[in-house]
Amino acid sequence: MLRNFMGLFLLTFMICCFILLMQVLWARINDIVGKGVEITVLLEFLVYAVASVVPLALPLAILLASLMTFGNLGEKFELTAMKSAGVSLFRIMRPLTIFIGIICIGAYFFSNYVLPKSQTKLWALVFSLRQKAPELDIPVAEFYSGLSGYNIYVGKKDVRSGLLHDIMIYDYSNGFEDASVTLADSGRIAFTADNQYMLLRLYNGESFENLNQQEQRTLDSRNVPYRRETFGSKQLLIDFNTEFTRFDESVMQDQHVSKNVTQLRQSIDSVGALSKARAREQGDRMVNSRYFGREWCSGRELSPIAEEMKEEYNITNLATSLTAFQMRQAMNIAVDKARVMRDAIQYNAVMLDDYDRYVRKHAIELHRKFTLSFACLIFFFIGAPLGAIIRKGGLGAPIVISVVMFIIYYIIDNTGYKMAREALWPVWQGMWLSSAVLLPIGVFLTVKAATDSGLFNPEVWLKVWEKVTTGIKTRYQQLRNK
């Protein structure tokens, strides 16, 4: 049992990793293709990307492998023979349950120690690839806009000599209103020694440039002065960094994806305490800065200034004690204080929302460390009894059922994640939603498989349908006779 399952598990795990890796590569295709980076950098990217897809590939591989294993046993009647010999389904599943338990523990350690480091290196590499300038490949007979602030047109190329013919360059690096146009019969492209700039040597051409930037604008916008230059040889220096510069991985140190369980808990506790202190400070400021400067409430003594004001004015007849000018002045002061308080509340609300989002992201990542391991266990107790019930081996029915179950799991898990991220649900409810939904399904299928229930037998459902329709017809006939 263990040998058969391990072979299928390794096969399905590699297939799932490959499929999910293709999805990652498709999402990052613009950051990789056309950058001219070395093959070692691409291989490094693939290694880190494979590590990032393990949390999704592992539960799917366990589900598919357990379905195929028990489906093959059921299809060959080996499972029936073992049950006839007095071996229960739970005893048959015991060695695989122990093996899956070891995988769950390994998945936790992977999520806690390996995944944060791989995510840190992956995102640092992605940011580095985004900043890398694309490899220069100017097409023929069409405009090339790969250089920021420039559009270049080349009529034809001489592959042997590297000479470009019929060159047209639009330079709008200073804005479209101050654009310049350069025409040349031929030219060559080279790079400086430090690979920071592109040197474009042009031969036999002319350039046109308006003089708006020199404040020679006229009242009539149709009469804009320009400068025309004819040259035999000219050089243009264009900013084009071809070096691959790596981002420092320290920029990812405070991100939730780069922390283990201990670091996540420390960040949640520290930022949560800071958020509570900020909220308490805001509440105290709202209470203590209402009317006469420093106020006290809930049975505390008033400040001396407030005592004098309280003795001088009676709250009940304050409107009749003030003059019209004093009343307008008091109203203006009250409105100004209300506006200041509103601005302070809005500012603190933004600050508190940043703290809350930070805490929620870290709490989501903390729960994700455990939901991965638990999902592996749940998918085993779904796949194994389901394979024993349907009794279909191979890659046909197991793949279809696995994909359907995994899509259901992914939709539920993604829904819970978004609910937790947007603070519509508590974090623990959103992150454990998929487990709470799939766990009863696993228990139900395990019980049905242990009792040899014909859950997916068409004859059983036909008999149930016949009983239902017969009961309806009988009831209808009784009501009609009455």
Side-chain angles (χ1 to χ4, degrees), residues 178-324:
D178 296 330
S180 63
V181 181
T182 302
L183 306 176
D185 292 338
S186 59
R188 295 180 184 275
I189 292 178
F191 294 93
T192 58
D194 57 357
N195 291 326
Q196 298 291 322
Y197 299 94
M198 183 183 74
L199 185 62
L200 187 59
R201 296 187 178 94
L202 304 176
Y203 307 105
N204 300 326
E206 56 184 354
S207 63
F208 302 87
E209 180 182 3
N210 64 49
L211 302 177
N212 282 348
Q213 67 274 16
Q214 301 181 14
E215 298 182 356
Q216 296 184 11
R217 298 178 176 87
T218 60
L219 295 177
D220 189 356
S221 60
R222 294 172 298 177
N223 299 323
V224 179
Y226 70 95
R227 179 172 59 197
R228 176 179 180 181
E229 176 188 2
T230 303
F231 58 86
S233 177
K234 184 178 181 178
Q235 293 184 353
L236 294 179
L237 196 63
I238 301 175
D239 188 8
F240 189 78
N241 186 5
T242 60
E243 290 290 332
F244 176 67
T245 305
R246 287 183 177 270
F247 266 69
D248 190 1
E249 295 179 4
S250 60
V251 299
M252 295 291 299
Q253 293 301 320
D254 195 40
Q255 298 298 320
H256 58 281
V257 295
S258 62
K259 297 179 180 180
N260 55 32
V261 171
T262 303
Q263 294 170 340
L264 288 170
R265 286 175 175 171
Q266 291 176 353
S267 300
I268 292 172
D269 293 340
S270 59
V271 178
L274 185 62
S275 176
K276 291 180 181 178
R278 186 103 186 187
R280 186 166 53 251
E281 179 184 354
Q282 176 184 351
D284 294 341
R285 186 181 296 116
M286 291 177 61
V287 171
N288 297 332
S289 59
R290 293 182 295 174
Y291 298 109
F292 306 116
R294 186 168 59 92
E295 285 281 340
W296 301 90
C297 61
S298 65
R300 298 179 179 177
E301 294 182 356
L302 295 171
S303 63
I305 298 178
E307 287 288 355
E308 295 178 1
M309 297 299 294
K310 183 179 179 182
E311 294 177 357
E312 183 177 356
Y313 298 106
N314 189 356
I315 301 300
T316 58
N317 58 358
L318 181 61
T320 59
S321 303
L322 297 177
T323 62

Side-chain angles (χ1 to χ4, degrees), residues 73-93:
L73 292 177
E75 189 175 20
K76 297 176 182 179
F77 298 100
E78 295 179 2
L79 197 62
T80 304
M82 285 186 284
K83 289 183 178 180
S84 300
V87 182
S88 65
L89 180 65
F90 296 104
R91 187 175 176 183
I92 298 173
M93 295 172 57

